[in-house]
Amino acid sequence: MNAMKRFDSFLPLIGVVGLIAVWSLTVQFKLVDPVLLPGPMETFRALWKGMTGGALGVDFAKTVWRTVISTAIATVIAIPLGIMLGSWERLYRSVEFVIDFFRSTPASAMFPLFLVLFGVGDKTKISVAAFGAVLVILFNVAYGVMNARKTRLLAAKVMGASRVGVLVDVMLLESLPQTFVGLRNGVSLALVIIVVAEMFIGSQDGLGHSVFEAQQLFNMPEMYAAIFAAGALGYGLNLVFLLIERYFVHWSGK
């Protein structure tokens, strides 16, 4: 049993090894032009060089900063608003169409509007990303509150808990698993929007700019290195929220 558990901890590596193997074989047998798709070693060398003293490290830090700021803004706005709307279901139903409409609208379609409002610069990138993340987090928080288990709500009311007590001690705790789902989706969406914005909104730095510039210069190893850095950043941010969730919401589903 212990051996099986130790083996389970290595399961995520199987996909990584498989990806690198398929990539290496594709390059080795020239199934794709090697100029367009360099080998894994060449790409990882470019990644290491860029992250340890190269421009890629600076671009990585810029993208992290923008993503963290936009997610923090979205969290501060969306969680209280989601709790309020979720605890008052009629109010949520009255604005549900607006939330779902903008949640379903591609963020790239909102760039012109935010460019008019904030001009070219970090304000536009961060505000668009925060806007997209707010809707995702708000939706999950509101539904987490609305779907709080009725038995616990009834038990709290029978025991004489006040309306505020039911909201704080039951609804908020019940909504936490769904809230963390919203936070993980929100930070992933914020990163995607930031990288796309860095590619197309006159940016001078960031991973999106690094990908775009390397593609324009036909520097394929650096382009794939920047893509891998963005992927690693997204995986890392999601992992951080997952670890926080497991620490604070360890009772989820019990």
Side-chain angles (χ1 to χ4, degrees):
M1 184 63 75
N2 290 333
M4 286 295 292
K5 286 185 178 179
R6 282 197 294 272
F7 176 76
D8 286 349
S9 61
F10 291 102
L11 285 178
L13 294 177
I14 295 176
V16 177
V17 173
L19 173 65
I20 294 175
V22 171
W23 184 2
S24 300
L25 291 173
T26 302
V27 174
Q28 183 71 27
F29 290 103
K30 297 184 178 178
L31 300 177
V32 178
D33 189 339
V35 176
L36 300 177
L37 182 64
M41 290 307 296
E42 192 177 353
T43 300
F44 291 137
R45 273 198 296 270
L47 179 63
W48 176 258
K49 186 179 176 183
M51 294 295 288
T52 54
L56 188 59
V58 177
D59 289 330
F60 186 87
K62 284 285 186 180
T63 300
V64 170
W65 179 78
R66 288 171 182 141
T67 304
V68 169
I69 293 295
S70 57
T71 305
I73 293 171
T75 302
V76 169
I77 295 172
I79 290 183
L81 196 56
I83 292 170
M84 185 185 75
L85 293 174
S87 60
W88 192 357
E89 191 168 345
R90 284 187 173 177
L91 180 60
Y92 180 80
R93 298 303 176 195
S94 68
V95 296
E96 187 174 23
F97 171 79
V98 178
I99 294 172
D100 285 346
F101 177 83
F102 283 106
R103 197 166 58 87
S104 305
T105 303
S108 55
M110 303 298 291
F111 285 155
L113 172 62
F114 281 85
L115 276 170
V116 170
L117 293 173
F118 299 107
V120 178
D122 278 352
K123 281 186 180 178
T124 297
K125 300 180 187 70
I126 292 171
S127 57
V128 176
F131 176 77
V134 159
L135 297 171
V136 173
I137 299 170
L138 188 154
F139 171 82
N140 280 280
V141 173
Y143 266 86
V145 172
M146 285 190 288
N147 292 327
R149 273 173 279 190
K150 305 301 179 189
T151 51
R152 292 190 177 182
L153 291 173
L154 289 173
K157 288 176 182 176
V158 168
M159 290 164 52
S162 65
R163 187 177 176 84
V164 176
V166 171
L167 174 65
V168 174
D169 295 334
V170 182
M171 285 186 172
L172 292 185
L173 289 177
E174 285 285 301
S175 70
L176 277 180
Q178 192 75 20
T179 298
F180 272 98
V181 171
L183 288 172
R184 285 194 280 123
N185 288 330
V187 73
S188 298
L189 180 62
L191 174 61
V192 170
I193 297 172
I194 289 291
V195 170
V196 173
E198 288 170 347
M199 294 176 75
F200 300 113
I201 303 185
S203 184
Q204 299 299 314
D205 48 37
L207 289 175
H209 170 262
S210 183
V211 172
F212 185 73
E213 187 178 60
Q215 188 265 333
Q216 292 294 302
L217 298 174
F218 217 67
N219 191 336
M220 294 296 119
E222 287 194 8
M223 186 188 81
Y224 287 109
I227 292 172
F228 269 94
L233 174 57
Y235 181 83
L237 290 172
N238 184 67
L239 189 62
V240 167
F241 277 99
L242 196 60
L243 292 174
I244 296 172
E245 179 184 355
R246 286 178 181 173
Y247 181 80
F248 286 103
V249 199
H250 53 83
W251 41 264
S252 175
K254 296 179 181 176

